Amino acid sequence: MEYVLGIDFGGGASKATLLGADGKVAAVSTTEYPTYYPRTGYAEQDPRDWYQATCRNIAAVISESGAKPESIAAVCLDAATHTAVLMDEGCRVLRPAIYWTDTRSGDQVRRLQEHHRGLILEQAYHEPDTIWTLPQLMWVKEREPDIWSRVKRLLFAKDYVRYLLTGVYATDYIEAEGSMLFDCRNKCWSPELCGIPGLAVDLLPPVMSPMDQAGTITARAAGDTGLAPGTPVICGTTDTALEVLAAGAVRPGQMTVKLATAGRICVITDRPVTGRHLITYSHVVPGLSYPGTATKSCAASYRWYRDVFGGEYARLNDEAAAAPPGCDGLFFHPYLNGELTPYADPGLCGSFVGIRAGHTRSHFSRAVLEGVAFSLLDCLHELERMGIPYRQQAVIIGGGASSPLWRQITADVLGIALEEKSRSDSSLGGAMLAGVAAGFFPDLEAGLRASTHTVSVTRPRTALTEWYAGRFTQYKAIHDALAPIYQGDGYANSSVPQI
């Protein structure tokens, strides 16, 4: 056995990393898939897209590396939390999966806040918000009763793909923590939380540890993917948990800054830390947690900008680099699907503010990057307000970290040094997890030493950090002025008269 395989399902693409027993990456493949927005506030994905991307990526890394299928010792999957796949008695998917950026369940969240807030905080460690599975299930029950009546099984994104690969129905405890249906203290499904939408606990999957073997590749999946039948498949866990691992953040006080579909700043702690604007999960290292803050539309904002206005990322980066810091007064707020930290407001909308006749595409391109960095500064301030200690050098992760310009803007705005690793994505973290399970590495830290190293450190420029602090005050003032306008259903849903 020479290789292990990590497969990630992100907000817009799946990525597979084939890792050798020596810790060197043998091949990487990425396949994009769409998120669908059928109505304002909705965000859905088709689970079939995840599996098709898996099959393409596995075939690609086997072809690129020349690896024999039987030389792959183990496979590990990860994905973003909260994304439930509803299945009928025959394990057929009943509807598109509601993605965590979806905001349709606002009414359900308000009722949960009013009637169940204490119970949810006590058991699930978080306050109700539209990102969580619980209010999404309430919405399905109330608005799509025919579908709800046929739900016989529920899986999460990576667990659904693993089910297609192995035929085994399971999840891990970190993924379960992201559902708002799980008793985090006692590490089991909560009958009380499941009872809120009337979901039978026995419809939920058995809970494993991330490194447990969940099953093996079936003959049918082998035909679809090119893997050998009987290849072990590790349970795996959530994308952020494995990104934090791949970044080397395995001790209290270490911090990661994530520029991915969502933006997150996570700090490693020796206990769960709860707060209105914190998302706290267990670490893959036992006894540790990684509380973090989040901005909903980080790289998703840049992808939206690319898709709507055209151009490749390389061209957009060149344009952005040509604009001055501050974009000659142009601001962008990345609230394309509402916002999490520090507002917990699904009604917020994105905006370009301060447009003048002299602005060019370059200004708009840079404004997107700066706007996301300001939103991350909001996230950092919340961690400081909570009194969570962190080191002044963080590891920057996510697809956006590959942009030297975005790294520098983020370092300047946050005022902290950002360490770039040779690789730090969640598919690598999954491969490390599989490598430990397969016996390639004696433990996770050995896997880290073998698989990744620091390639650069982007340091903040003090004068710009101080200058951006003044811009941030204006950025906040714009939010405060516009937020009341976005409230109420009439803003987005007023009907257009027939003419």
Side-chain angles (χ1 to χ4, degrees):
M1 298 294 185
E2 301 174 16
Y3 304 99
V4 285
L5 180 61
I7 304 174
D8 165 61
F9 302 94
S14 175
K15 181 177 181 180
T17 295
L18 188 67
L19 190 69
D22 58 359
K24 294 182 179 178
V25 173
V28 173
S29 177
T30 300
T31 299
E32 289 191 354
Y33 43 70
T35 299
Y36 301 96
Y37 303 97
R39 292 184 60 184
T40 300
Y42 287 30
E44 300 181 337
Q45 293 189 353
D46 185 341
R48 293 172 297 184
D49 292 339
W50 307 331
Y51 187 66
Q52 291 169 3
T54 302
C55 295
R56 285 194 289 268
N57 283 338
I58 292 173
V61 296
I62 290 175
S63 174
E64 179 184 338
S65 65
K68 296 179 179 179
E70 58 269 20
S71 70
I72 298 174
V75 180
C76 179
L77 280 62
D78 75 84
T81 48
H82 319 300
T83 308
V85 180
L86 305 180
M87 304 162 70
D88 67 11
E89 196 166 18
C91 296
R92 293 176 291 266
V93 176
L94 290 168
R95 70 173 324 283
I98 298 176
Y99 200 59
W100 69 268
T101 56
D102 188 288
T103 61
R104 75 183 75 182
S105 57
D107 287 343
Q108 289 75 21
V109 167
R110 284 187 282 274
R111 279 184 271 134
L112 289 172
Q113 283 278 12
E114 183 177 353
H115 300 294
H116 303 286
R117 179 175 178 269
L119 171 67
I120 292 171
L121 274 173
E122 178 187 355
Q123 294 196 6
Y125 289 171
H126 298 96
E127 296 209 21
D129 193 277
T130 57
I131 67 172
W132 302 99
T133 313
L134 171 56
Q136 295 167 2
L137 294 180
M138 292 172 63
W139 185 93
V140 173
K141 180 180 181 180
E142 295 166 15
R143 302 293 293 274
E144 298 177 345
D146 290 344
I147 287 175
W148 182 258
S149 67
R150 289 185 284 151
V151 174
K152 300 302 178 185
R153 283 191 170 181
L154 185 154
L155 283 172
F156 302 97
K158 64 111 173 41
D159 303 317
Y160 171 73
V161 178
R162 194 184 56 249
Y163 168 78
L164 296 181
L165 294 174
T166 67
V168 175
Y169 186 62
T171 193
D172 71 285
Y173 62 82
I174 304 177
E175 181 85 62
E177 290 173 358
S179 66
M180 202 162 272
L181 301 168
F182 195 67
D183 184 336
C184 296
R185 185 165 298 161
N186 295 308
K187 293 289 189 288
C188 63
W189 296 115
S190 165
E192 295 84 4
L193 295 177
C194 292
I196 295 172
L199 180 72
V201 173
D202 59 7
L203 301 186
L204 293 164
V207 179
M208 298 181 172
S209 292
M211 215 177 298
D212 288 346
Q213 180 174 320
T216 60
I217 295 295
T218 65
R220 179 174 180 176
D224 291 342
T225 63
L227 291 169
T231 302
V233 181
I234 308 307
C235 186
T237 189
T238 69
D239 55 354
T240 305
L242 292 182
E243 286 170 336
V244 167
L245 169 64
V250 293
R251 292 186 176 84
Q254 291 183 305
M255 184 165 73
T256 58
V257 175
K258 178 180 179 180
L259 301 179
T261 298
R264 292 201 66 191
I265 300 183
C266 296
V267 182
I268 309 305
T269 60
D270 58 4
R271 58 184 176 85
V273 181
T274 60
R276 179 69 183 95
H277 301 294
L278 292 182
I279 300 174
T280 297
Y281 294 126
S282 298
H283 200 292
V284 293
V285 176
L288 297 182
S289 296
Y290 64 96
T293 47
T295 178
K296 266 191 174 182
S297 298
C298 177
S301 290
Y302 210 25
R303 179 172 176 171
W304 164 83
Y305 180 74
R306 179 200 70 175
D307 292 347
V308 172
F309 296 101
E312 297 300 321
Y313 286 127
R315 176 189 170 192
L316 297 178
N317 287 340
D318 289 343
E319 291 175 352
C327 307
D328 291 327
L330 181 64
F331 286 91
F332 173 72
H333 288 70
Y335 308 144
L336 302 183
N337 293 292
E339 186 54 302
L340 294 174
T341 308
Y343 304 114
D345 186 351
L348 286 179
C349 299
S351 63
F352 285 103
V353 174
I355 303 170
R356 291 190 177 274
H359 285 128
T360 66
R361 275 179 59 103
S362 293
H363 293 91
F364 282 86
S365 298
R366 185 183 182 103
V368 173
L369 304 183
E370 289 189 351
V372 171
F374 284 137
S375 189
L376 287 169
L377 184 57
D378 255 337
C379 292
L380 185 64
H381 285 173
E382 183 64 21
L383 291 170
E384 293 170 347
R385 191 187 69 79
M386 293 292 297
I388 301 174
Y390 63 86
R391 302 180 186 181
Q392 287 297 312
Q393 181 164 306
V395 177
I396 188 166
I397 61 177
S402 63
S403 165
L405 175 64
W406 209 355
R407 290 199 307 271
Q408 188 64 64
I409 289 172
T410 305
D412 289 339
V413 169
L414 298 182
I416 58 174
L418 298 176
E419 178 183 357
E420 181 193 12
K421 296 285 190 177
S422 54
R423 295 182 185 274
S424 59
D425 65 273
S426 53
S427 66
L428 176 66
M432 288 182 194
L433 212 64
V436 175
F440 288 5
F441 314 121
D443 53 39
L444 293 173
E445 293 205 37
L448 281 168
R449 290 192 296 271
S451 305
T452 189
H453 61 275
T454 299
V455 296
S456 72
V457 177
T458 302
R459 302 191 183 280
R461 295 168 290 187
T462 303
L464 267 179
T465 299
E466 294 173 352
W467 183 80
Y468 271 130
R471 292 278 295 172
F472 182 66
T473 300
Q474 296 173 285
Y475 175 91
K476 295 282 283 184
I478 293 169
H479 161 271
D480 295 346
L482 291 179
I485 298 173
Y486 302 136
Q487 302 308 310
D489 292 338
Y491 175 76
N493 298 321
S494 57
S495 58
V496 177
Q498 293 184 348
I499 55 175

